[in-house]
Amino acid sequence: MRRRPARRDRTRRRPAPGRRPVRGRTRDRRRPGGRGGAPHTGRRGTLTADGAVLAAGLGHRGIGGAATAVEVPLRPVHGDVLRLRVRPEQLLPGESHLITRTVRGLVHGRQVYLVPRADGTLVVGASAREDGLAGTSAGAVLDLLADAAAILPAVRECELVEITTAARPGTPDDAPRVLAVPEAPGAVVATGFHRHGILLAPWAAGRILELLHARLKEIA
């Protein structure tokens, strides 16, 4: 079984025409003059842009510069996700998986979901805990397996192949923060999405565009 502190999306996508991805660590967000911003990326040098979205999650405080002028109280909400492998002998002739779509449930007041993957694995998640433990919680894994088995008993016969543990950025009221940076026109901070980042992505994108357009008009 593999344990990973966080799982990265390794899907490779071609950048849009006229754009190129740049990997690096942002240390600062400045406004050197004029209309552009400049997120500093260490060895990659300084990049300028009319607008910048600072979506560093729990790393917001580490960006430095004007970005930290926007105080966002964040707390880590740790979560554990399991990946199980379905064994061939668990399937009937003609079956490719135990389930064919995502199943969500509530067991003893705890939310749990099961997601079938094309590679024959089953994803079970996700815990939400604030116990200060950055590593994997044995109790959380136990609860996830028990809750998943209560919904799909065949889970007990699967192979546990991977555990992913990571921290979500949470705010005191669990509401996300999408805010303009007053000291750096053209910069927007977006963080605090807790466990609802994907669900809130359309709203967040719209709000970010509103703030960027408003700020760029002010300094045009």
Side-chain angles (χ1 to χ4, degrees):
M1 182 192 72
R2 295 177 294 170
R3 180 194 175 278
R4 295 181 179 177
R7 187 175 182 82
R8 295 181 178 178
D9 182 6
R10 292 187 173 85
T11 303
R12 293 185 178 273
R13 299 176 180 177
R14 291 184 178 180
R19 296 172 175 81
R20 60 183 179 87
V22 177
R23 296 183 180 275
R25 182 177 296 275
T26 299
R27 297 177 183 173
D28 195 358
R29 170 56 171 79
R30 313 186 192 102
R31 185 189 177 198
R35 195 173 65 165
H40 184 66
T41 57
R43 290 181 298 175
R44 299 286 184 177
T46 299
L47 305 179
T48 59
D50 289 339
V53 180
L54 308 176
L58 290 169
H60 171 71
R61 298 186 187 92
I63 295 177
T68 55
V70 177
E71 180 61 29
V72 182
L74 297 172
R75 72 187 198 283
V77 182
H78 292 91
D80 310 283
V81 177
L82 315 179
R83 185 177 291 267
L84 313 178
R85 178 173 291 117
V86 179
R87 298 186 298 159
E89 53 266 35
Q90 293 182 261
L91 303 175
L92 295 174
E95 289 185 332
S96 59
H97 216 297
L98 292 174
I99 55 178
T100 58
R101 63 187 65 188
T102 298
V103 176
R104 297 180 182 273
L106 194 66
V107 182
H108 302 303
R110 296 186 297 263
Q111 297 181 31
V112 62
Y113 61 77
L114 298 87
V115 182
R117 296 300 191 192
D119 62 358
T121 59
L122 184 68
V123 175
V124 178
S127 64
R129 50 187 178 79
E130 299 182 56
D131 53 8
L133 176 62
T136 301
S137 167
V141 172
L142 180 62
D143 288 342
L144 285 173
L145 288 173
D147 295 347
I151 296 175
L152 183 65
V155 161
R156 298 177 182 275
E157 301 174 24
C158 293
E159 177 188 0
L160 177 59
V161 294
E162 183 179 299
I163 301 174
T164 300
T165 298
R168 314 174 183 92
T171 60
D173 59 1
D174 289 335
R177 301 291 191 269
V178 180
L179 309 165
V181 180
E183 289 77 6
V188 174
V189 171
T191 186
F193 290 89
H194 201 275
R195 62 186 298 169
H196 306 299
I198 294 178
L199 294 176
L200 293 175
W203 169 83
R207 181 58 180 156
I208 288 169
L209 285 176
E210 290 178 3
L211 292 173
L212 285 176
H213 288 162
R215 295 293 285 168
L216 292 176
K217 285 182 179 179
E218 291 177 5
I219 60 178

